[in-house]
Amino acid sequence: MATKHKVMIMRCEDYDSEKISGIIKEGMEELDIRPTGRILLKPNVVIAHPEVFPHAFTRKEFLDGVISATKEKAENIREVAVGERSGITLPTRWNFKNAGYPEVLKKHRVKAYYFDEVKQVPMELRGKSNLRKNIFIPEPIAQTDFLINLPKFKAHPWCRLTLSLKNFIGIQDDRHRLVDHNIFLEHKIADLQEIIQPKFIAVDSIIAGQKMMLTPTPFPMGAILMGKNSCAVDTVGCHMVHVDPKDIIHLRYASERGFGPMNLEEIDVLGDFPLKEVQEKTRSFEICMEHIDSYFAGKSNLSCTVGTFPEKHSPDYCWGGCPGALQEAMHIFKGYYPNVNEEMKKVRYVVGKIAEPLELDDDEKVIFAGNCTSWEGTINGDHVKIKSSYKPPQEVDERKSKSNDMLLKTWKTLWSCFKQKNSRYIHAKGCPVSVGDHVHYLSAIAKIKNVNFDPRMLLPLNVAYWKMRTNRALNRLFG
Ligand code: SF4
């Protein structure tokens, strides 16, 4: 009989780094983990801010506890480092600072690899089902001997849940991260597993996140989830919150490609927090997988018209791209301006191929979002034709992907909004249109204050941006 994968669920009610370290050590012993060589810890710091985004990231106490345990259990250490690429083009060093990581790194004397500052190298993909033959990753990922994956347990509006497999999206820098981050997102997550497998996974499930991934509602789950195989860990994670693993498409793809199980019968669930008891506790855990047209209906001055999409595997919705980015952007605004849904000007958001008239209110403006969107009709008496410029993955060359530099994108988007300031509509191009771009477009057309210019962001974010640019240049020259 084949040996079962072991996954542990341990009780942990609070962010006490010593206690966390003890639990991680116990997990490493049970799972027979011996970190060695170049050890790289990959947390989830997609975004972090103590006031606005307090529950989106792997907490510093968790990182602290895992580093202590790793150092005690490791042998023949060549390096211990923490590496990550944050989301929505924000400099990773800015998010690390907001997350309180620098003090932890200093305490343990470990290095930070900000993946937006290091060299990106191509890796060949050989699997038959892969979207492309090469994928770019940061050099420290390519060079590591022992990857430790430290996701945050969160619901996700595009993929239902983000656990171990999905945390790999954060290994790519912006230029490459948005390639296939669209209707093919689930395929891309499965492709990334071919590059490297984590040798240990510890999921920060002490306070889990519900509904959104950037602005989740906290859920005190009081658990640490550990294992050696991403599929096995994610399968148990699904059952912890009443999700059928088959509904996590990237888990299904990864399992079908032989990366691990998605069936509880192939997993030994161990630890001091029985799965049944966790399930009792999480009966009210909220997941948000809702189409944007119904999500915003009647609750906002934003309304959405959703059409059809160009790929056979998902003709009725694009789960990995523009619609989810719109939801996240609106939640970011809500974090800064709680009444944004009522105070914003009326906007119709149009995505996909639309054959019907839009029937706009007199004071309603329009965002046509994404390269796949097409529509023809009359606005303000003028004939308007929006043409699709969507390209399938085989026509997108990942080596020629455009820069997604934060400042460049900000100015490009703001300039495009300025040029169209007297028009009732904007066509926001991209596949996807990123969360950051959504913030700019919505801000311009719906007259919402742009959060990028909020005093809490402006100065520290720009300082971090220029440090990032300087270090990136130095790494290119001397790295
Ligand atoms: S343009 Fe946007 S909605 Fe259309 S396929 Fe690309 S990511 Fe999806």
Side-chain angles (χ1 to χ4, degrees), residues 319-351:
W319 282 110
C322 305
L326 171 76
Q327 272 174 317
E328 290 290 356
M330 284 303 295
H331 277 267
I332 290 175
F333 279 122
K334 210 163 183 289
Y336 286 84
Y337 320 121
N339 301 324
V340 64
N341 278 308
E342 304 83 49
E343 288 173 1
M344 66 187 282
K345 301 282 178 208
K346 275 193 194 168
V347 171
R348 178 75 61 89
Y349 183 90
V350 180
V351 65

Side-chain angles (χ1 to χ4, degrees), residues 181-184 309-311 317-323 349 351-352 369-373 390 430-433:
H181 199 309
N182 48 29
I183 209 160
F184 285 98
F309 295 86
E311 295 293 344
Y317 205 67
C318 172
W319 282 110
C322 305
Y349 183 90
V351 65
N371 291 351
C372 75
T373 293
Y390 172 80
C431 183
V433 179

Side-chain angles (χ1 to χ4, degrees), residues 194-212:
E194 198 186 307
I195 294 168
I196 188 168
Q197 297 290 299
K199 293 192 172 142
F200 178 57
I201 303 142
V203 187
D204 173 1
S205 328
I206 299 173
I207 295 182
Q210 304 174 97
K211 296 188 191 170
M212 295 290 122

Side-chain angles (χ1 to χ4, degrees), residues 11-281:
R11 290 178 201 275
C12 187
E13 295 292 337
D14 32 51
Y15 283 103
D16 173 335
S17 47
E18 263 185 49
K19 193 169 160 190
I20 293 167
S21 170
I23 292 170
I24 298 290
K25 269 188 271 174
E26 209 180 319
M28 285 180 160
E29 270 155 33
E30 177 66 47
L31 299 168
D32 198 17
I33 305 287
R34 242 335 125 202
T36 183
R38 293 175 84 105
I39 301 162
L40 183 61
L41 294 93
K42 158 69 178 85
N44 180 346
V45 195
V46 61
I47 198 164
H49 192 282
E51 287 166 48
V52 194
F53 309 106
H55 303 293
F57 56 94
T58 307
R59 284 272 295 260
K60 66 173 180 184
E61 301 87 345
F62 195 85
L63 179 70
D64 189 358
V66 179
I67 297 176
S68 299
T70 301
K71 282 186 148 181
E72 268 190 54
K73 290 281 163 198
E75 45 196 31
N76 304 322
I77 300 178
R78 286 178 60 206
E79 179 182 76
V80 181
V82 178
E84 165 67 325
R85 174 60 180 118
S86 295
I88 56 170
T89 68
L90 297 167
T92 305
R93 57 171 59 243
W94 182 72
N95 286 307
F96 268 34
K97 194 163 180 218
N98 291 339
Y101 278 18
E103 65 194 70
V104 176
L105 302 177
K106 198 170 165 199
K107 173 180 158 188
H108 292 284
R109 296 189 186 171
V110 301
K111 191 171 175 174
Y113 284 118
Y114 305 114
F115 294 158
D116 38 343
E117 297 179 9
V118 302
K119 195 172 163 192
Q120 311 295 313
V121 293
M123 298 288 283
E124 198 185 345
L125 296 176
R126 301 212 169 135
K128 281 194 198 121
S129 326
N130 295 332
L131 291 171
R132 46 192 73 251
K133 293 200 165 28
N134 289 290
I135 202 158
F136 282 80
I137 57 159
E139 202 166 45
I141 289 276
Q143 290 175 341
T144 189
D145 301 307
F146 201 100
L147 182 68
I148 297 182
N149 198 10
L150 304 177
K152 177 83 172 171
F153 197 120
K154 283 190 291 181
H156 197 288
W158 306 344
C159 303
R160 212 171 291 266
L161 284 176
T162 166
L163 297 166
S164 184
L165 295 165
K166 171 74 177 62
N167 200 30
F168 269 34
I169 285 291
I171 66 175
Q172 279 199 300
D173 188 25
D174 295 322
R175 182 181 284 270
H176 305 289
R177 187 190 193 111
L178 291 187
V179 175
D180 305 321
H181 199 309
N182 48 29
I183 209 160
F184 285 98
L185 176 63
E186 306 277 6
H187 301 73
K188 174 173 184 148
I189 297 167
D191 287 1
L192 284 165
Q193 310 311 313
E194 198 186 307
I195 294 168
I196 188 168
Q197 297 290 299
K199 293 192 172 142
F200 178 57
I201 303 142
V203 187
D204 173 1
S205 328
I206 299 173
I207 295 182
Q210 304 174 97
K211 296 188 191 170
M212 295 290 122
M213 56 116 176
L214 299 179
T215 53
T217 317
F219 185 95
M221 193 179 275
I224 295 179
L225 174 64
M226 290 178 278
K228 284 167 43 166
N229 178 279
S230 286
C231 290
V233 166
D234 285 14
T235 298
V236 174
C238 286
H239 285 282
M240 285 168 75
V241 288
H242 312 273
V243 167
D244 185 339
K246 289 202 278 305
D247 290 339
I248 306 292
I249 299 168
H250 57 258
L251 171 55
R252 212 169 68 210
Y253 289 165
S255 185
E256 282 165 8
R257 293 183 196 181
F259 290 112
M262 54 177 292
N263 187 340
L264 263 192
E265 281 152 27
E266 294 169 60
I267 304 167
D268 249 340
V269 185
L270 311 167
D272 65 0
F273 201 172
L275 183 55
K276 281 257 172 304
E277 212 183 302
V278 181
Q279 287 170 332
E280 260 322 297
K281 197 171 179 179

